[in-house]
């Protein structure tokens, strides 16, 4: 089992709709969770960090964390064509506190 | 404030050649990382350094060595390059703020082609 799993997509969402991206992790004690956006040919950019159960909102982005079920999700409201990118989920492992491990990413396409 | 810088941006090697990828950060971060990203895939951790003077293996360390030269610099060495090491290599640094928020910043990447 991979330590961090994401659906590779592509996920196609109409402009203005809500895009929902999901991520599960296997290290039950993990405390810190990250969402990155990566445009083609560019480096990843951190867009959300969450460590408490529940929701964290930042502009059009909401991260949701459920430690009991070991999943973290990212919601993008009012999706724009500029949101088309690959979204990477990452987890700081409890078993090795300095390791940040990534999922394989979900490709998101916003159709006009 | 340049953030995380990497050199070179692009490199072509022949099988068996060696090279060192350089990474430096000017944000005074303790932790630094080397990842590789293959087409259509996420990032896989090669090595990381939690602080100056320490290094640890990540998910895919075979064929690589690292040096944390000082707090700013973290280099990745390929002793005998193989075609399987063709990839994009990203260096990153991270820190935990006083408020408990974590940040991780990436360099622009090095595209390596091994023939």
């Amino acid at each position: 089992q991979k330590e961090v799993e994401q659906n590779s997509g592509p996920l196609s969402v109409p402009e203005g709709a809500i895009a929902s991206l999901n991520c599960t992790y296997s290290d039950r004690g993990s405390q810190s969770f990250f969402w990155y956006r990566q445009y083609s040919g560019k480096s990843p950019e951190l867009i959300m960090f969450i460590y408490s159960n529940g929701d964290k909102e930042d502009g059009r982005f909401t991260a949701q964390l459920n430690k009991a079920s070991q999943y973290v999700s990212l919601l993008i409201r009012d999706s724009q064509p500029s949101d088309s990118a690959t979204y990477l989920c990452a987890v700081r492992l409890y078993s090795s506190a300095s390791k940040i491990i990534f999922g394989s990413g979900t490709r998101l396409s916003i159709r006009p | 404030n340049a953030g995380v810088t990497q050199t070179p941006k692009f490199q072509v090697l022949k099988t068996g050649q060696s090279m060192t990828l350089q990474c430096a950060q000017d944000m005074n971060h303790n932790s630094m990382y080397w990842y590789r990203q293959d087409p259509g895939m996420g990032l896989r951790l090669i090595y990381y350094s939690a602080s100056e003077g320490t290094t640890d293996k990540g998910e895919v360390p075979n064929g690589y060595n690292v040096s944390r030269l000082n707090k700013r610099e973290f280099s990745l060495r390929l002793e005998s390059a193989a075609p399987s090491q063709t990839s994009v290599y990203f260096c990153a640094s991270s820190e935990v703020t006083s408020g408990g928020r974590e940040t991780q910043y990436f360099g622009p990447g090095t595209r390596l082609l091994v023939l």
Side-chain angles (χ1 to χ4, degrees):
Chain A
Q1 179 188 6
K2 290 183 65 176
E3 290 175 297
V4 182
E5 299 211 48
Q6 297 180 253
N7 187 322
S8 62
L11 176 65
S12 181
V13 173
E15 185 175 355
I18 296 175
S20 178
L21 303 154
N22 298 312
C23 172
T24 59
Y25 60 94
S26 61
D27 189 342
R28 178 170 289 278
S30 295
Q31 298 290 319
S32 302
F33 306 88
F34 309 78
W35 281 102
Y36 295 80
R37 177 177 61 200
Q38 186 178 28
Y39 293 114
S40 181
K42 301 295 185 182
S43 53
E45 174 193 10
L46 180 65
I47 55 173
M48 290 293 286
F49 164 75
I50 187 168
Y51 63 91
S52 299
N53 267 334
D55 295 0
K56 179 182 177 183
E57 188 173 317
D58 184 359
R60 294 186 297 110
F61 298 102
T62 299
Q64 300 175 317
L65 175 60
N66 184 323
K67 291 183 180 179
S69 299
Q70 293 176 242
Y71 81 79
V72 56
S73 61
L74 179 70
L75 302 179
I76 306 174
R77 291 183 299 281
D78 188 24
S79 297
Q80 303 296 310
S82 59
D83 295 326
S84 296
T86 295
Y87 289 81
L88 299 161
C89 171
V91 176
R92 180 182 291 283
L93 300 183
Y94 174 78
S95 57
S96 180
S98 294
K99 290 173 76 170
I100 300 177
I101 300 296
F102 283 74
S104 57
T106 298
R107 275 196 300 130
L108 175 65
S109 176
I110 306 300
R111 57 182 190 271
Chain B
N1 187 340
V4 180
T5 57
Q6 292 183 236
T7 56
K9 287 186 170 56
F10 182 72
Q11 184 73 47
V12 179
L13 291 178
K14 294 180 180 178
T15 297
Q17 287 185 317
S18 62
M19 78 164 294
T20 298
L21 282 66
Q22 306 287 353
C23 174
Q25 52 95 6
D26 62 3
M27 296 172 283
N28 203 36
H29 289 172
N30 283 316
S31 300
M32 297 186 73
Y33 309 80
W34 276 105
Y35 293 91
R36 61 176 287 176
Q37 186 173 38
D38 300 309
M41 298 183 68
L43 288 87
R44 290 185 291 170
L45 181 63
I46 305 171
Y47 271 92
Y48 64 101
S49 170
S51 61
E52 184 179 354
T54 69
T55 61
D56 285 287
K57 295 179 180 179
E59 301 168 277
V60 289
N62 291 345
Y64 305 95
N65 285 299
V66 290
S67 295
R68 183 74 183 266
L69 304 169
N70 48 55
K71 193 170 187 180
R72 289 188 64 248
E73 298 172 290
F74 189 37
S75 62
L76 178 71
R77 182 160 179 84
L78 287 69
E79 290 291 352
S80 179
S84 60
Q85 294 178 305
T86 293
S87 189
V88 179
Y89 291 85
F90 288 103
C91 177
S93 68
S94 73
E95 194 62 285
V96 180
T97 68
S98 57
R101 185 178 187 278
E102 295 196 45
T103 59
Q104 189 182 42
Y105 296 96
F106 281 81
T110 294
R111 296 180 183 277
L112 176 65
L113 174 62
V114 183
L115 301 174

